[in-house]
Structures are given as C-alpha cells and as structure tokens.
Amino acid sequence: MINIYDDVNAVATTLRETAQYKTLRDAIDAVEAEPEAKAIFARFQQAQTQINQAVQSGNEPAEDQIKAWQEIANEMEQYDSLKQMLEAEKGLNQLLMEINDIITKPIAELYGQD
C-alpha cells in the first residue's frame, strides 16, 4: 500500500538541503543576532497577524492597523538583515509554489487543465 506521507516527509527532509532553505535559515540567524532588527520584525509579524485576523473574519482591516503595518515595513527597510531575510523568503516561496504545482498537477489533469 502506498503511504503518501512517507513521500511528503522525504520531500520535507530534502527541502532542508536546498539552497533556498539554507539561505533563509542563515538570513533568519542574522536577524536573530541583531536585537533591533529582531524587535522590528516581531512588531511587523504582530501587525500582520492583526490584519490577517481581520480579513479572515470577513472584516476590512482598520486604517490605523494598515498605517501601523506600513510604518513598521518602512522601518524594516533600514536593516539589511531584514531585507535579505525577505528576499530569501521570496526565493523559498517560489520553490514551494513550483513544488505545489508539481504536486497538484494530477488534480489539474483530472479537470483537463494540463
């Protein structure tokens, strides 16, 4: 019997060996080593979470929430470590989107969308 979870766990293990993963890991370590950058990123994540919660509950985020998030994002631009981390995230996200396309290809084929 096929156990798809074994295959997916193998992919997760392999993912840790990719350049994209290692670049993000190193970028996160650099942010962690810079207390000011780490604090700003924590504030950014908190603001982003609040906006996401509003959207998920079917509400528009409040103007002050969006403004606070934008101000923090602007502060982040002052730190090379944060900019590098965000670039590394983009690279890993691109890889994950490509993997997702491969994984979902059989489903798209069922619908004739190949």
Side-chain angles (χ1 to χ4, degrees):
M1 182 171 184
I2 295 175
N3 185 346
I4 196 166
Y5 295 102
D6 289 341
D7 294 337
V8 173
N9 283 316
V11 170
T13 299
T14 302
L15 179 67
R16 288 181 178 91
E17 298 303 318
T18 65
Q20 294 89 335
Y21 178 90
K22 291 177 180 180
T23 300
L24 179 58
R25 180 197 61 209
D26 294 347
I28 290 170
D29 288 347
V31 170
E32 293 286 329
E34 193 174 354
E36 300 87 9
K38 182 179 176 181
I40 289 171
F41 185 64
R43 289 179 30 232
F44 177 79
Q45 287 180 303
Q46 182 180 19
Q48 193 167 29
T49 297
Q50 291 173 347
I51 289 171
N52 288 342
Q53 287 173 343
V55 170
Q56 289 175 353
S57 65
N59 299 317
E60 281 287 319
E63 242 179 83
D64 61 329
Q65 287 177 314
I66 294 172
K67 185 178 179 186
W69 179 81
Q70 289 171 332
E71 288 173 2
I72 298 167
N74 288 337
E75 285 181 61
M76 289 175 61
E77 287 294 317
Q78 299 172 26
Y79 294 87
D80 288 338
S81 61
L82 289 171
K83 289 190 281 188
Q84 290 170 0
M85 184 185 71
L86 294 176
E87 279 300 310
E89 274 185 6
K90 286 180 189 177
L92 185 59
N93 283 333
Q94 178 63 39
L95 176 62
L96 292 173
M97 287 187 327
E98 291 169 7
I99 291 168
N100 187 57
D101 287 346
I102 293 166
I103 291 171
T104 58
K105 185 175 181 176
I107 298 164
E109 288 171 347
L110 285 175
Y111 290 99
Q113 299 174 356
D114 47 351

